[in-house]
Coordinates of all heavy atoms in Angstrom, one line a residue:
I1 N 0.9 -1.2 0.0 CA 0.0 0.0 0.0 C 0.9 1.2 0.0 O 1.8 1.3 0.8 CB -0.9 0.0 1.2 CG1 -1.9 -1.2 1.2 CG2 -1.7 1.3 1.3 CD1 -2.8 -1.3 2.4
K2 N 0.6 2.2 -0.9 CA 1.3 3.4 -1.0 C 0.3 4.5 -0.8 O -0.8 4.5 -1.3 CB 2.0 3.5 -2.4 CG 2.6 4.9 -2.6 CD 4.0 4.8 -2.8 CE 4.6 6.2 -3.1 NZ 5.9 6.3 -2.9
T3 N 0.7 5.5 0.1 CA -0.2 6.7 0.3 C 0.4 7.9 -0.2 O 1.6 8.2 0.1 CB -0.5 6.8 1.9 OG1 -1.1 5.5 2.3 CG2 -1.5 7.9 2.1
V4 N -0.4 8.7 -0.9 CA 0.1 10.0 -1.4 C -1.0 11.0 -1.1 O -2.2 10.7 -0.8 CB 0.4 10.0 -2.9 CG1 1.5 9.1 -3.2 CG2 -0.8 9.7 -3.7
Q5 N -0.7 12.3 -1.1 CA -1.6 13.4 -0.9 C -1.8 14.2 -2.1 O -0.8 14.5 -2.8 CB -1.2 14.3 0.3 CG -1.2 13.6 1.6 CD -0.9 14.5 2.8 OE1 -0.6 15.7 2.6 NE2 -0.9 14.0 4.0
V6 N -3.0 14.5 -2.5 CA -3.3 15.4 -3.6 C -3.9 16.7 -3.0 O -4.8 16.6 -2.2 CB -4.3 14.7 -4.6 CG1 -4.7 15.7 -5.7 CG2 -3.8 13.4 -5.1
V7 N -3.4 17.8 -3.4 CA -3.8 19.1 -2.9 C -4.6 19.8 -4.0 O -4.1 19.9 -5.1 CB -2.7 20.0 -2.4 CG1 -3.1 21.3 -2.0 CG2 -1.9 19.3 -1.4
V8 N -5.9 20.2 -3.7 CA -6.7 20.9 -4.7 C -7.1 22.2 -4.1 O -7.6 22.3 -2.9 CB -8.0 20.1 -5.0 CG1 -8.8 20.8 -6.0 CG2 -7.7 18.7 -5.4
Q9 N -6.8 23.3 -4.8 CA -7.0 24.6 -4.3 C -8.0 25.4 -5.2 O -7.9 25.3 -6.4 CB -5.7 25.4 -4.2 CG -5.8 26.8 -3.5 CD -4.5 27.4 -3.3 OE1 -3.4 26.9 -3.6 NE2 -4.5 28.6 -2.7
G10 N -8.9 26.1 -4.6 CA -9.8 26.9 -5.4 C -9.8 28.4 -4.9 O -9.2 28.7 -3.9
T11 N -10.5 29.2 -5.7 CA -10.6 30.6 -5.2 C -11.7 30.8 -4.2 O -11.7 31.8 -3.5 CB -10.9 31.5 -6.5 OG1 -12.0 31.1 -7.2 CG2 -9.7 31.5 -7.4
K12 N -12.7 29.9 -4.2 CA -13.8 29.9 -3.3 C -13.9 28.6 -2.5 O -13.4 27.6 -3.1 CB -15.1 30.1 -4.0 CG -15.2 31.4 -4.8 CD -16.6 31.5 -5.5 CE -16.6 32.8 -6.3 NZ -17.9 32.9 -7.1
P13 N -14.4 28.6 -1.3 CA -14.6 27.3 -0.6 C -15.4 26.3 -1.4 O -16.4 26.6 -2.1 CB -15.3 27.7 0.7 CG -15.0 29.1 0.8 CD -14.9 29.7 -0.5
F14 N -15.0 25.0 -1.3 CA -15.7 23.9 -2.0 C -15.5 22.7 -1.2 O -14.7 22.6 -0.3 CB -15.1 23.7 -3.5 CG -13.6 23.3 -3.5 CD1 -13.3 22.0 -3.5 CD2 -12.6 24.2 -3.4 CE1 -12.0 21.5 -3.5 CE2 -11.3 23.8 -3.4 CZ -11.0 22.5 -3.5
A15 N -16.3 21.7 -1.5 CA -16.2 20.4 -0.9 C -16.1 19.3 -1.9 O -16.7 19.4 -3.0 CB -17.5 20.1 0.0
V16 N -15.3 18.3 -1.6 CA -15.1 17.2 -2.5 C -16.2 16.2 -2.3 O -16.6 15.9 -1.2 CB -13.7 16.5 -2.1 CG1 -13.5 15.2 -3.0 CG2 -12.6 17.4 -2.3
A17 N -16.8 15.8 -3.4 CA -17.9 14.8 -3.4 C -17.5 13.4 -3.5 O -18.1 12.5 -3.0 CB -18.9 15.2 -4.5
G18 N -16.4 13.2 -4.3 CA -15.9 11.8 -4.5 C -14.6 11.8 -5.3 O -14.3 12.8 -6.0
V19 N -14.0 10.6 -5.3 CA -12.8 10.4 -6.1 C -12.9 9.0 -6.7 O -13.3 8.1 -6.1 CB -11.5 10.4 -5.2 CG1 -10.3 10.1 -5.9 CG2 -11.4 11.8 -4.5
D20 N -12.6 9.0 -8.0 CA -12.7 7.7 -8.8 C -11.5 7.5 -9.7 O -11.0 8.5 -10.2 CB -14.0 7.8 -9.6 CG -14.4 6.4 -10.2 OD1 -14.0 5.4 -9.7 OD2 -15.0 6.5 -11.3
C21 N -11.2 6.3 -9.9 CA -10.1 5.9 -10.9 C -10.8 4.7 -11.6 O -10.6 3.6 -11.3 CB -8.9 5.5 -10.1 SG -7.5 5.1 -11.3
P22 N -11.5 5.1 -12.7 CA -12.3 4.0 -13.4 C -11.5 2.8 -13.9 O -12.0 1.7 -13.9 CB -12.8 4.8 -14.6 CG -12.7 6.2 -14.3 CD -11.6 6.4 -13.3
K23 N -10.3 3.0 -14.4 CA -9.5 1.9 -14.9 C -8.8 1.0 -13.9 O -8.4 -0.1 -14.2 CB -8.5 2.4 -15.9 CG -9.1 2.9 -17.2 CD -8.0 3.3 -18.2 CE -8.7 3.9 -19.4 NZ -7.7 4.3 -20.4
M24 N -8.8 1.5 -12.6 CA -8.2 0.7 -11.5 C -9.2 0.6 -10.3 O -8.8 0.9 -9.2 CB -6.9 1.3 -11.1 CG -5.8 1.3 -12.2 SD -4.2 1.9 -11.7 CE -3.4 0.3 -11.5
Q25 N -10.4 0.1 -10.6 CA -11.4 0.0 -9.6 C -10.9 -0.9 -8.5 O -10.3 -1.9 -8.7 CB -12.7 -0.6 -10.2 CG -13.4 0.3 -11.1 CD -14.1 1.4 -10.4 OE1 -14.4 1.4 -9.3 NE2 -14.3 2.5 -11.1
G26 N -11.1 -0.4 -7.3 CA -10.8 -1.2 -6.1 C -9.3 -1.0 -5.6 O -8.9 -1.5 -4.6
C27 N -8.5 -0.3 -6.4 CA -7.1 -0.1 -6.1 C -6.9 1.2 -5.3 O -5.9 1.4 -4.7 CB -6.3 0.0 -7.4 SG -6.2 -1.6 -8.2
I28 N -7.8 2.2 -5.5 CA -7.7 3.5 -4.9 C -8.7 3.7 -3.8 O -9.9 3.5 -4.0 CB -7.9 4.6 -5.9 CG1 -6.9 4.5 -7.1 CG2 -7.8 6.0 -5.3 CD1 -5.5 4.9 -6.7
N29 N -8.2 4.1 -2.6 CA -9.1 4.4 -1.5 C -8.8 5.9 -1.1 O -7.7 6.2 -0.8 CB -8.9 3.5 -0.3 CG -9.8 3.8 0.9 OD1 -10.9 4.3 0.7 ND2 -9.3 3.5 2.1
A30 N -9.8 6.7 -1.2 CA -9.6 8.2 -1.0 C -10.2 8.6 0.3 O -11.3 8.2 0.7 CB -10.2 9.0 -2.1
K31 N -9.5 9.4 1.0 CA -10.0 10.0 2.3 C -9.9 11.5 2.2 O -8.9 12.1 1.8 CB -9.1 9.5 3.5 CG -9.2 8.0 3.7 CD -8.3 7.6 4.9 CE -8.4 6.1 5.0 NZ -7.6 5.6 6.1
F32 N -11.0 12.1 2.5 CA -11.1 13.6 2.4 C -12.2 14.1 3.3 O -13.1 13.4 3.7 CB -11.4 14.1 0.9 CG -12.6 13.3 0.3 CD1 -13.9 13.8 0.5 CD2 -12.4 12.2 -0.4 CE1 -14.9 13.1 -0.1 CE2 -13.4 11.5 -1.0 CZ -14.7 12.0 -0.8
G33 N -12.1 15.4 3.7 CA -13.1 16.0 4.6 C -14.3 16.4 3.9 O -14.4 16.5 2.7
E34 N -15.4 16.6 4.7 CA -16.7 17.0 4.1 C -16.9 18.5 4.1 O -17.8 19.0 3.5 CB -17.8 16.3 4.8 CG -17.8 14.8 4.7 CD -18.9 14.1 5.4 OE1 -19.9 14.8 5.8 OE2 -18.9 12.9 5.6
D35 N -16.0 19.2 4.9 CA -16.2 20.7 5.0 C -15.8 21.4 3.7 O -14.9 21.0 3.0 CB -15.3 21.2 6.2 CG -15.7 20.6 7.5 OD1 -16.9 20.2 7.6 OD2 -14.9 20.6 8.4
E36 N -16.4 22.6 3.5 CA -16.0 23.4 2.4 C -14.8 24.3 2.8 O -14.9 24.9 3.8 CB -17.2 24.3 2.0 CG -18.3 23.6 1.3 CD -19.3 24.5 0.6 OE1 -19.1 25.7 0.7 OE2 -20.3 24.0 0.1
K37 N -13.8 24.2 2.0 CA -12.6 24.9 2.2 C -12.0 25.4 0.9 O -12.3 24.7 -0.1 CB -11.5 24.1 2.9 CG -11.9 23.5 4.3 CD -10.8 22.6 4.8 CE -11.2 21.9 6.0 NZ -10.2 20.9 6.4
K38 N -11.1 26.4 0.9 CA -10.4 26.8 -0.3 C -9.3 25.8 -0.7 O -8.9 25.7 -1.8 CB -9.8 28.2 -0.2 CG -10.8 29.3 -0.2 CD -10.1 30.6 -0.2 CE -11.1 31.8 -0.2 NZ -10.4 33.1 -0.2
L39 N -8.8 25.1 0.3 CA -7.7 24.1 0.1 C -8.2 22.8 0.6 O -8.5 22.7 1.8 CB -6.5 24.6 0.8 CG -5.2 23.8 0.6 CD1 -4.7 24.0 -0.8 CD2 -4.2 24.1 1.7
Q40 N -8.2 21.8 -0.2 CA -8.6 20.4 0.2 C -7.4 19.5 0.0 O -6.7 19.6 -1.0 CB -9.7 19.9 -0.7 CG -11.0 20.7 -0.6 CD -11.8 20.4 0.7 OE1 -11.4 19.4 1.5 NE2 -12.8 21.1 1.0
I41 N -7.2 18.7 1.0 CA -6.1 17.7 0.9 C -6.8 16.3 0.9 O -7.6 15.9 1.8 CB -5.2 17.7 2.1 CG1 -4.5 19.1 2.1 CG2 -4.1 16.6 2.1 CD1 -3.6 19.4 3.3
I42 N -6.5 15.6 -0.2 CA -7.1 14.3 -0.4 C -6.0 13.2 -0.3 O -5.0 13.3 -0.9 CB -7.7 14.1 -1.8 CG1 -8.8 15.2 -2.0 CG2 -8.3 12.8 -2.1 CD1 -9.2 15.4 -3.5
K43 N -6.2 12.3 0.6 CA -5.2 11.2 0.8 C -5.7 10.0 0.0 O -6.8 9.5 0.1 CB -5.2 10.8 2.3 CG -4.6 11.9 3.2 CD -4.5 11.5 4.6 CE -3.9 12.7 5.4 NZ -3.8 12.3 6.8
L44 N -4.8 9.6 -0.9 CA -5.0 8.5 -1.8 C -4.2 7.3 -1.3 O -3.0 7.4 -1.2 CB -4.7 8.8 -3.2 CG -5.5 9.9 -3.9 CD1 -5.0 10.1 -5.3 CD2 -7.0 9.5 -3.9
E45 N -4.9 6.2 -1.0 CA -4.2 4.9 -0.6 C -4.3 4.0 -1.9 O -5.4 3.7 -2.3 CB -4.8 4.2 0.6 CG -4.6 5.0 1.9 CD -5.2 4.2 3.0 OE1 -5.9 3.2 2.8 OE2 -5.0 4.7 4.2
F46 N -3.1 3.6 -2.4 CA -3.1 2.8 -3.6 C -2.6 1.4 -3.2 O -1.6 1.2 -2.6 CB -2.1 3.4 -4.6 CG -2.0 2.6 -5.9 CD1 -3.0 2.6 -6.8 CD2 -0.8 1.9 -6.1 CE1 -2.8 1.8 -7.9 CE2 -0.7 1.1 -7.2 CZ -1.7 1.1 -8.2
T47 N -3.4 0.4 -3.6 CA -3.1 -1.0 -3.4 C -2.9 -1.6 -4.8 O -3.8 -1.6 -5.6 CB -4.2 -1.7 -2.7 OG1 -4.4 -1.1 -1.4 CG2 -3.8 -3.2 -2.4
A48 N -1.7 -2.0 -5.1 CA -1.3 -2.5 -6.4 C -2.1 -3.8 -6.7 O -2.1 -4.7 -5.9 CB 0.2 -2.7 -6.5
P49 N -2.7 -3.9 -7.9 CA -3.3 -5.2 -8.3 C -2.2 -6.2 -8.6 O -1.2 -5.9 -9.3 CB -4.1 -4.8 -9.5 CG -3.5 -3.6 -10.0 CD -2.8 -2.9 -8.9
A50 N -2.4 -7.4 -8.2 CA -1.4 -8.4 -8.4 C -1.3 -8.9 -9.9 O -0.2 -9.3 -10.3 CB -1.7 -9.7 -7.6
D51 N -2.4 -8.6 -10.6 CA -2.4 -9.1 -12.0 C -1.9 -8.1 -13.0 O -2.0 -8.3 -14.2 CB -3.8 -9.6 -12.4 CG -4.8 -8.5 -12.2 OD1 -4.6 -7.6 -11.5 OD2 -5.9 -8.7 -12.8
L52 N -1.5 -6.9 -12.6 CA -1.0 -5.8 -13.5 C 0.4 -5.3 -13.2 O 0.6 -4.2 -12.9 CB -2.0 -4.7 -13.4 CG -3.4 -4.9 -14.0 CD1 -4.3 -3.7 -13.7 CD2 -3.4 -5.2 -15.4
P53 N 1.4 -6.2 -13.4 CA 2.7 -5.7 -13.1 C 3.2 -4.8 -14.2 O 2.7 -4.8 -15.3 CB 3.6 -7.0 -13.1 CG 2.8 -7.9 -14.0 CD 1.4 -7.6 -13.8
G54 N 4.2 -3.9 -13.9 CA 4.7 -3.0 -14.9 C 4.3 -1.6 -14.6 O 3.7 -1.2 -13.6
K55 N 4.7 -0.7 -15.6 CA 4.4 0.7 -15.4 C 2.9 1.0 -15.7 O 2.3 0.3 -16.5 CB 5.3 1.5 -16.4 CG 6.7 1.5 -16.0 CD 7.6 2.4 -16.9 CE 9.0 2.3 -16.5 NZ 9.9 3.2 -17.3
F56 N 2.4 2.1 -15.1 CA 1.0 2.5 -15.3 C 0.9 4.0 -15.2 O 1.7 4.6 -14.6 CB 0.0 1.8 -14.3 CG 0.2 2.3 -12.9 CD1 -0.6 3.4 -12.5 CD2 1.1 1.7 -12.1 CE1 -0.5 3.8 -11.2 CE2 1.2 2.2 -10.8 CZ 0.5 3.3 -10.3
A57 N -0.1 4.5 -15.9 CA -0.4 6.0 -15.8 C -1.9 6.1 -16.0 O -2.5 5.7 -17.0 CB 0.3 6.8 -16.8
E58 N -2.7 6.4 -14.9 CA -4.1 6.5 -15.0 C -4.7 7.8 -14.5 O -4.0 8.5 -13.7 CB -4.7 5.3 -14.1 CG -4.3 3.9 -14.5 CD -4.8 3.5 -15.9 OE1 -5.7 4.2 -16.4 OE2 -4.2 2.6 -16.5
D59 N -5.9 8.1 -15.0 CA -6.5 9.4 -14.5 C -7.3 9.1 -13.2 O -8.0 8.1 -13.1 CB -7.5 9.8 -15.6 CG -6.8 10.4 -16.8 OD1 -5.6 10.9 -16.7 OD2 -7.4 10.4 -17.9
V60 N -7.2 10.1 -12.3 CA -8.0 10.1 -11.1 C -9.0 11.2 -11.3 O -8.6 12.4 -11.5 CB -7.2 10.2 -9.8 CG1 -8.0 10.4 -8.6 CG2 -6.2 9.1 -9.7
I61 N -10.3 10.9 -11.1 CA -11.3 11.9 -11.3 C -11.8 12.4 -9.9 O -12.3 11.6 -9.1 CB -12.5 11.4 -12.1 CG1 -11.9 10.9 -13.5 CG2 -13.6 12.4 -12.3 CD1 -12.9 10.1 -14.3
I62 N -11.8 13.7 -9.7 CA -12.2 14.3 -8.4 C -13.5 15.1 -8.7 O -13.5 16.0 -9.5 CB -11.1 15.3 -7.9 CG1 -9.8 14.5 -7.7 CG2 -11.6 15.9 -6.6 CD1 -8.6 15.4 -7.4
S63 N -14.6 14.7 -8.0 CA -15.9 15.3 -8.2 C -16.0 16.4 -7.1 O -15.7 16.1 -5.9 CB -17.0 14.3 -8.1 OG -16.9 13.3 -9.0
I64 N -16.6 17.5 -7.4 CA -16.8 18.6 -6.5 C -18.3 18.8 -6.3 O -19.1 18.8 -7.2 CB -16.2 20.0 -7.0 CG1 -14.7 19.8 -7.4 CG2 -16.4 21.1 -6.0 CD1 -13.8 19.4 -6.2
K65 N -18.7 18.9 -5.0 CA -20.1 19.1 -4.7 C -20.7 20.4 -5.4 O -20.1 21.4 -5.3 CB -20.4 19.2 -3.2 CG -20.2 17.9 -2.5 CD -20.4 18.0 -1.0 CE -20.1 16.7 -0.3 NZ -20.2 16.7 1.1
G66 N -21.8 20.2 -6.0 CA -22.5 21.4 -6.6 C -22.0 21.8 -8.0 O -22.4 22.8 -8.5
R67 N -21.0 21.0 -8.5 CA -20.4 21.4 -9.8 C -20.6 20.2 -10.8 O -20.4 19.0 -10.4 CB -19.0 21.7 -9.7 CG -18.8 23.0 -8.9 CD -17.3 23.4 -9.0 NE -17.1 24.5 -8.0 CZ -15.9 24.9 -7.6 NH1 -14.9 24.4 -8.1 NH2 -15.8 25.9 -6.7
E68 N -20.9 20.5 -12.1 CA -21.0 19.4 -13.1 C -19.6 19.0 -13.5 O -19.4 17.8 -13.8 CB -21.8 19.9 -14.2 CG -23.3 20.1 -13.9 CD -24.1 20.5 -15.1 OE1 -23.7 20.2 -16.3 OE2 -25.1 21.2 -14.9
D69 N -18.7 20.0 -13.7 CA -17.3 19.6 -14.2 C -16.5 18.9 -13.1 O -16.6 19.3 -11.9 CB -16.6 20.9 -14.6 CG -17.3 21.6 -15.8 OD1 -17.9 20.9 -16.5 OD2 -17.1 22.8 -15.9
N70 N -15.8 17.9 -13.5 CA -14.9 17.2 -12.6 C -13.4 17.7 -12.9 O -13.1 18.2 -13.9 CB -14.9 15.7 -12.8 CG -16.3 15.2 -12.5 OD1 -16.9 15.6 -11.5 ND2 -16.8 14.2 -13.3
Y71 N -12.6 17.4 -11.9 CA -11.1 17.7 -12.1 C -10.4 16.4 -12.2 O -10.8 15.4 -11.6 CB -10.6 18.4 -10.9 CG -11.1 19.8 -10.7 CD1 -12.2 20.1 -9.9 CD2 -10.6 20.9 -11.5 CE1 -12.7 21.4 -9.8 CE2 -11.0 22.1 -11.4 CZ -12.1 22.4 -10.6 OH -12.6 23.7 -10.5
T72 N -9.5 16.3 -13.1 CA -8.8 15.1 -13.4 C -7.3 15.3 -13.1 O -6.7 16.3 -13.5 CB -9.0 14.7 -14.9 OG1 -10.3 14.5 -15.1 CG2 -8.3 13.3 -15.1
C73 N -6.7 14.4 -12.4 CA -5.2 14.4 -12.3 C -4.7 13.0 -12.7 O -5.4 12.0 -12.7 CB -4.8 14.8 -10.9 SG -5.3 13.7 -9.6
K74 N -3.4 12.9 -13.0 CA -2.9 11.6 -13.4 C -2.0 11.1 -12.3 O -1.2 11.8 -11.7 CB -2.1 11.8 -14.7 CG -1.7 10.5 -15.4 CD -1.2 10.7 -16.8 CE -2.2 11.1 -17.7 NZ -3.1 10.0 -18.2
I75 N -2.1 9.8 -12.1 CA -1.2 9.1 -11.2 C -0.4 8.1 -12.1 O -0.9 7.6 -13.1 CB -1.9 8.3 -10.1 CG1 -2.9 7.3 -10.6 CG2 -2.6 9.3 -9.1 CD1 -3.4 6.3 -9.6
S76 N 0.9 7.9 -11.7 CA 1.7 7.0 -12.4 C 2.7 6.3 -11.5 O 2.9 6.8 -10.4 CB 2.5 7.7 -13.5 OG 3.3 8.7 -13.0
G77 N 3.2 5.2 -11.9 CA 4.1 4.4 -11.1 C 4.5 3.1 -11.8 O 4.2 2.9 -12.9
E78 N 5.1 2.3 -11.0 CA 5.5 1.0 -11.5 C 5.2 -0.1 -10.5 O 5.6 0.1 -9.3 CB 7.0 0.9 -11.8 CG 7.4 -0.4 -12.5 CD 8.8 -0.4 -13.0 OE1 9.5 0.7 -12.8 OE2 9.3 -1.4 -13.5
I79 N 4.5 -1.1 -10.9 CA 4.1 -2.2 -10.0 C 5.1 -3.3 -10.2 O 5.3 -3.8 -11.3 CB 2.7 -2.7 -10.3 CG1 1.7 -1.5 -10.1 CG2 2.3 -3.9 -9.4 CD1 0.3 -1.8 -10.6
R80 N 5.8 -3.7 -9.1 CA 6.8 -4.8 -9.2 C 6.3 -6.1 -8.6 O 5.6 -6.1 -7.7 CB 8.1 -4.3 -8.6 CG 8.7 -3.1 -9.2 CD 9.9 -2.8 -8.6 NE 10.3 -1.4 -9.1 CZ 11.1 -0.6 -8.4 NH1 11.7 -1.0 -7.3 NH2 11.4 0.5 -9.0

């Protein structure tokens, strides 16, 4: 298990509604607060799938409460 932090900053307070990684379902566990803030810190716990060794680069989709548009960031690494 590897844990990283993603920092999302806005000009107005906002709340994170959810975090998803469609191509690696079950590998990402996200922890974030429910309060509206200008700066949100999302802790991502990544558990490597045993059946996908090698390098990877996937999109993580961050949903914001009250907004239709999502934010996307890329995670990458190597599973050994």
Side-chain angles (χ1 to χ4, degrees):
I1 296 176
K2 171 117 179 164
T3 303
V4 297
Q5 293 185 359
V6 176
V7 178
V8 183
Q9 185 172 3
T11 56
K12 297 178 183 178
F14 65 94
V16 175
V19 177
D20 188 27
C21 186
K23 292 186 179 177
M24 297 187 101
Q25 290 290 335
C27 295
I28 301 286
N29 181 28
K31 296 180 182 180
F32 50 87
E34 296 180 15
D35 297 338
E36 289 192 1
K37 301 177 189 176
K38 287 185 179 182
L39 184 76
Q40 295 284 350
I41 298 175
I42 302 168
K43 293 182 181 178
L44 297 179
E45 289 182 353
F46 177 74
T47 303
D51 60 340
L52 293 175
K55 292 183 179 182
F56 69 93
E58 300 296 340
D59 290 334
V60 174
I61 301 167
I62 302 169
S63 303
I64 306 299
K65 289 182 184 175
R67 295 189 190 164
E68 290 182 28
D69 295 335
N70 295 322
Y71 292 97
T72 302
C73 63
K74 190 166 289 284
I75 59 169
S76 61
E78 184 173 0
I79 300 170
R80 297 181 192 159

